[in-house]
Amino acid sequence: MKSTYLLLICFLFSYNMQSQEQYLTKNGAITFFSSTIIEDIKAENNQVLSIIDASKSKMAISILIKSFLFKKALMQEHFNENYLESDKFPKATFKGDILNFNNVSSLDAKYDVKGIITIHGVSKEIVVPTIFKRNGDTIFVKGEFDLLLEDFDIKIPRLLLKKIAKEINVTFEFNHKPYNR
Amino acid sequence: MNKNKIIFSILIIGILCFFISYKMYNRPHANITESTPDITLTADTIIAAFSSDETKANSRYLDKILNITGTVSEFKLEKNKGIITLKTNQDFGSVLCHLSESASQNIHSLIVGQKITLKGVCTGYLMDVILVKAEIINE
């Protein structure tokens, strides 16, 4: 009796795993650029967590603000303490749907990803055109989009207004691997 | 004569101010290798702290230089950046350590299962506790 149960559970579990088709990366890359005449500022985060549920066409991303590394220590400090207030809002998240998502092939395929992005405690709906590509058993995803600082209630002191762009360019590259629990 | 002296001293102060602010503006990041760790602990302790009360753990560990001891469960180079995973006693969640550029070059001398101490800056908790700019302390 006991072994029958065990078998049933095993069967259910494996069935469940197959139908879920989850892909995950713990070291996705997100880079942002702020470009003005005076100064170009760049920061990189290589610890992005991103999950794709291929069967449900869903995507979820989680980012630690403190993982953004700058060239200049002072900029990183200002970014964390004054602009993003990373002690108060340690994470940025995105949750959304991959629209009209079919099969991912070894060729580049463009899908719009629509969802809610939350930065600095402010949520906003965005649509990001994203390139999906299958590479063996991994799903590679990349794209870029622009964000307005004022949309996320991020205030820049007047003195620095000329150094920091109002619109920030964000690029991302995630290499998802199949995820087995 | 007196006037010249005043102008001269103002000039010196001006140059000094400029120099100091320039130095501050371009101040380098804290050197992880040379600084003493704020907290020394094991991989099991830190994952337990984060999984039980993340807010409390955030205020205690974020931005701190930590010495974390644990067992290597995986290591790899991705885009020339070394990543070491430390095993914990929890089912989910480990300690993910992203190595500094210099430490990344020594990654191949590691063995899965060996005990190791890493020094790095804690940036928070997603599925795992994340350490960046990590240096390998002992092998």
Side-chain angles (χ1 to χ4, degrees):
Chain A
M1 194 61 199
K2 215 172 179 181
S3 59
T4 331
Y5 267 126
L6 210 69
L7 212 74
L8 199 72
I9 288 167
C10 278
F11 176 72
L12 276 174
F13 195 66
S14 63
Y15 177 76
N16 201 21
M17 247 164 51
Q18 263 179 2
S19 72
Q20 276 199 344
E21 249 199 283
Q22 288 187 334
Y23 295 84
L24 169 145
T25 178
K26 289 175 179 177
N27 35 274
I30 288 185
T31 312
F32 71 75
F33 294 102
S34 149
S35 172
T36 60
I37 306 165
I38 300 177
E39 192 154 33
D40 285 342
I41 301 169
K42 183 183 162 189
E44 221 180 277
N45 184 334
N46 286 306
Q47 290 88 37
V48 180
L49 175 68
S50 169
I51 302 168
I52 292 177
D53 190 331
S55 55
K56 290 180 190 146
S57 311
K58 284 191 184 301
M59 198 168 174
I61 296 161
S62 209
I63 304 157
L64 291 171
I65 299 299
K66 285 189 194 290
S67 276
F68 278 104
L69 302 183
F70 291 68
K71 219 174 187 172
K72 292 194 171 97
L74 191 71
M75 280 181 185
Q76 192 166 323
E77 244 171 66
H78 285 171
F79 171 79
N80 279 298
E81 284 166 17
N82 306 344
Y83 308 148
L84 269 285
E85 299 175 87
S86 61
D87 282 326
K88 221 157 118 198
F89 310 105
K91 286 175 194 171
T93 56
F94 174 84
K95 251 183 207 144
D97 297 294
I98 309 163
L99 304 180
N100 308 314
F101 190 57
N102 292 319
N103 233 336
V104 182
S105 71
S106 56
L107 299 168
D108 285 0
K110 210 168 204 175
Y111 296 105
D112 281 338
V113 182
K114 183 183 171 185
I116 307 288
I117 188 167
T118 307
I119 304 172
H120 193 225
V122 182
S123 299
K124 192 177 175 274
E125 191 183 88
I126 57 166
V127 179
V128 180
T130 306
I131 290 168
F132 288 78
K133 186 182 180 178
R134 191 183 288 275
N135 231 339
D137 61 349
T138 66
I139 294 182
F140 180 74
V141 167
K142 71 169 181 181
E144 63 174 305
F145 58 97
D146 292 328
L147 289 176
L148 280 172
L149 287 182
E150 58 179 24
D151 282 349
F152 298 94
D153 203 19
I154 297 165
K155 293 187 184 77
I156 309 293
R158 198 176 284 172
L159 197 71
L160 294 173
L161 270 183
K162 282 190 177 154
K163 282 197 166 177
I164 300 170
K166 285 181 183 136
E167 204 171 36
I168 305 292
N169 179 256
V170 182
T171 55
F172 56 93
E173 260 188 50
F174 307 141
N175 203 4
H176 302 82
K177 299 207 166 73
Y179 178 53
N180 308 311
R181 271 190 260 210
Chain B
M1 186 60 199
N2 222 350
K3 210 177 173 186
N4 268 354
K5 246 184 187 167
I6 291 170
I7 291 174
F8 186 69
S9 47
I10 287 176
L11 209 72
I12 294 259
I13 290 170
I15 290 170
L16 220 71
C17 279
F18 178 79
F19 187 73
I20 290 171
S21 57
Y22 181 81
K23 257 293 212 296
M24 268 173 62
Y25 182 66
N26 286 298
R27 174 167 52 89
H29 288 275
N31 188 329
I32 305 293
T33 330
E34 283 164 19
S35 34
T36 48
D38 298 311
I39 304 167
T40 300
L41 72 177
T42 64
D44 288 343
T45 320
I46 196 163
I47 195 82
F50 271 102
S51 57
S52 62
D53 188 344
E54 195 180 335
T55 325
K56 201 172 136 196
N58 274 343
S59 60
R60 184 180 295 173
Y61 298 118
L62 288 202
D63 279 337
K64 296 279 180 353
I65 297 175
L66 305 181
N67 260 14
I68 300 185
T69 307
T71 311
V72 177
S73 67
E74 196 193 342
F75 62 89
K76 60 182 171 184
L77 267 182
E78 203 141 305
K79 289 189 218 153
N80 288 324
K81 289 176 186 121
I83 306 169
I84 298 178
T85 311
L86 294 182
K87 206 166 20 185
T88 66
N89 53 7
Q90 308 239 332
D91 295 338
F92 294 106
S94 48
V95 179
L96 268 185
C97 307
H98 287 245
L99 299 186
S100 72
E101 255 174 64
S102 56
S104 296
Q105 290 166 358
N106 303 326
I107 197 166
H108 290 295
S109 62
L110 295 174
I111 309 159
V112 169
Q114 86 173 95
K115 212 172 175 196
I116 193 177
T117 300
L118 291 152
K119 180 157 78 170
V121 181
C122 181
T123 61
Y125 176 64
L126 292 170
M127 278 170 83
D128 313 276
V129 176
I130 289 170
L131 210 68
V132 298
K133 298 180 177 176
E135 301 286 345
I136 300 170
I137 298 300
N138 71 334
E139 285 180 46

Tab-separated table of all heavy atoms in Angstrom, chain B residues 14 37 79 120 122-123 139:
chain	number	residue	atom	x	y	z
B	14	GLY	N	41.868	77.817	-2.319
B	14	GLY	CA	41.044	77.434	-3.463
B	14	GLY	C	41.547	76.156	-4.107
B	14	GLY	O	40.775	75.228	-4.367
B	37	PRO	N	37.006	42.140	8.285
B	37	PRO	CA	35.579	41.870	8.144
B	37	PRO	C	34.781	42.430	9.319
B	37	PRO	O	35.270	42.454	10.447
B	37	PRO	CB	35.516	40.338	8.108
B	37	PRO	CG	36.777	39.887	8.747
B	37	PRO	CD	37.806	40.924	8.435
B	79	LYS	N	31.265	34.489	-18.046
B	79	LYS	CA	31.814	35.724	-18.628
B	79	LYS	C	33.051	36.172	-17.849
B	79	LYS	O	33.191	37.337	-17.470
B	79	LYS	CB	30.766	36.833	-18.608
B	79	LYS	CG	29.641	36.609	-19.587
B	79	LYS	CD	28.783	37.851	-19.646
B	79	LYS	CE	27.323	37.515	-19.773
B	79	LYS	NZ	26.467	38.559	-19.214
B	120	GLY	N	33.537	39.059	1.455
B	120	GLY	CA	32.886	39.879	0.443
B	120	GLY	C	31.831	40.776	1.045
B	120	GLY	O	31.614	40.772	2.261
B	122	CYS	N	27.925	41.811	1.412
B	122	CYS	CA	26.592	41.234	1.291
B	122	CYS	C	25.639	42.265	0.687
B	122	CYS	O	25.556	43.394	1.166
B	122	CYS	CB	26.088	40.805	2.667
B	122	CYS	SG	24.473	40.048	2.622
B	123	THR	N	24.927	41.879	-0.391
B	123	THR	CA	23.996	42.821	-1.006
B	123	THR	C	22.540	42.430	-0.779
B	123	THR	O	21.646	43.186	-1.136
B	123	THR	CB	24.243	42.973	-2.525
B	123	THR	OG1	24.051	41.709	-3.155
B	123	THR	CG2	25.644	43.469	-2.811
B	139	GLU	N	42.283	28.294	1.329
B	139	GLU	CA	41.917	27.215	0.426
B	139	GLU	C	42.304	25.883	1.026
B	139	GLU	O	43.158	25.814	1.883
B	139	GLU	CB	42.614	27.404	-0.916
B	139	GLU	CG	41.961	28.505	-1.711
B	139	GLU	CD	42.644	28.708	-3.053
B	139	GLU	OE1	42.918	27.719	-3.739
B	139	GLU	OE2	42.912	29.851	-3.404
